Amino acid sequence: MLNLGILISGRGSNMESILKSIKNKKIPINPTVVISNKTDAVGLKIAERLGIKTEVVESKGFEGSRADYDKKIISVLRKYRVTPNNGLVCLAGFMRIISPEFVKKYKNRIINIHPALLPSFTGLDSQKQALKYGVKYSGCTVHFVDAGMDTGPIIIQAVVKIKENDTEESLSKRILKEEHRIYPEAVDLIARNKIKISGRRTIIS
Ligand code: GRF
């Protein structure tokens, strides 16, 4: 069974959804640690309540390079047996760009959720970007993390229809509901070894 490490920076609602689904839907993966780059991340408390070990690798004031910071993250992941061979790392609202070194070491072992239909609206404030652009549909995407920004092979997407009177808040809320559904599904597929990557495409068996 794979060991799972979840990286967060804040609210942790996707983390919560993954942890609860592992338990309730019997996803065959072993969550060993939740790591935050912020001491005050609300998600840390939720993880503790759910009985998962937590660690903080403070990024504020960290003076080394991005790769140096990620080395610290990797050493915590290793401490909790989340290794490139038998681990999966979920970025769940982790507000940092991952270094190429980390991506290379954990090749196809890091996944992320993005609140838009990639490749549209990468980066920050995707829901706001979607409204501003005037698209009629947006949604969310779970994807493997590669060296680019929100560019790795796509695992699952969910579509959300945009309403005429949507605000950033109302749209974000409906997208989040779908995020909570598809992120655990993606974890389940990986846990059951049902995903093969072929170029940019993922093939789900
Ligand atoms: C989510 O909208 C996710 O798509 C984005 O950051 C937000 C994190 O929310 N990457 P939460 O911390 O999981 O509640």
Side-chain angles (χ1 to χ4, degrees), residues 65-84:
S65 66
R66 191 173 294 287
D68 289 340
Y69 177 84
D70 285 353
K71 264 189 198 156
K72 294 183 85 171
I73 294 275
I74 290 169
S75 74
V76 176
L77 288 171
R78 286 193 180 279
K79 174 175 159 198
Y80 289 89
R81 306 178 312 283
V82 183
T83 64

Side-chain angles (χ1 to χ4, degrees), residues 8-16 91-95 112-116 127 140 172 175-176 179-180:
I8 64 167
S9 297
R11 184 174 60 175
S13 70
N14 277 289
M15 170 212 74
E16 182 175 7
L91 309 182
F94 186 61
M95 301 301 284
N112 180 44
I113 181 119
H114 183 75
Q127 302 92 333
C140 47
S172 300
I175 291 178
L176 192 64
E179 294 183 36
H180 294 166

Side-chain angles (χ1 to χ4, degrees), residues 46-116:
I46 302 173
E48 280 159 22
R49 228 183 296 132
L50 293 171
I52 309 298
K53 296 262 172 49
T54 61
E55 296 268 354
V56 174
V57 181
E58 176 90 80
S59 58
K60 200 168 146 197
F62 182 81
E63 289 190 343
S65 66
R66 191 173 294 287
D68 289 340
Y69 177 84
D70 285 353
K71 264 189 198 156
K72 294 183 85 171
I73 294 275
I74 290 169
S75 74
V76 176
L77 288 171
R78 286 193 180 279
K79 174 175 159 198
Y80 289 89
R81 306 178 312 283
V82 183
T83 64
N85 282 333
N86 72 343
L88 176 68
V89 178
C90 284
L91 309 182
F94 186 61
M95 301 301 284
R96 284 184 59 85
I97 291 171
I98 303 292
S99 64
E101 291 84 353
F102 187 8
V103 172
K104 202 170 158 205
K105 203 163 253 171
Y106 281 74
K107 191 164 190 283
N108 299 334
R109 290 295 187 178
I110 310 175
I111 64 174
N112 180 44
I113 181 119
H114 183 75

Side-chain angles (χ1 to χ4, degrees), residues 154-169:
I154 290 169
I155 304 168
I156 307 184
Q157 294 186 299
V159 176
V160 172
K161 190 170 170 35
I162 293 180
K163 296 178 181 170
E164 312 241 302
N165 59 355
D166 256 333
T167 60
E168 189 184 347
E169 288 68 38

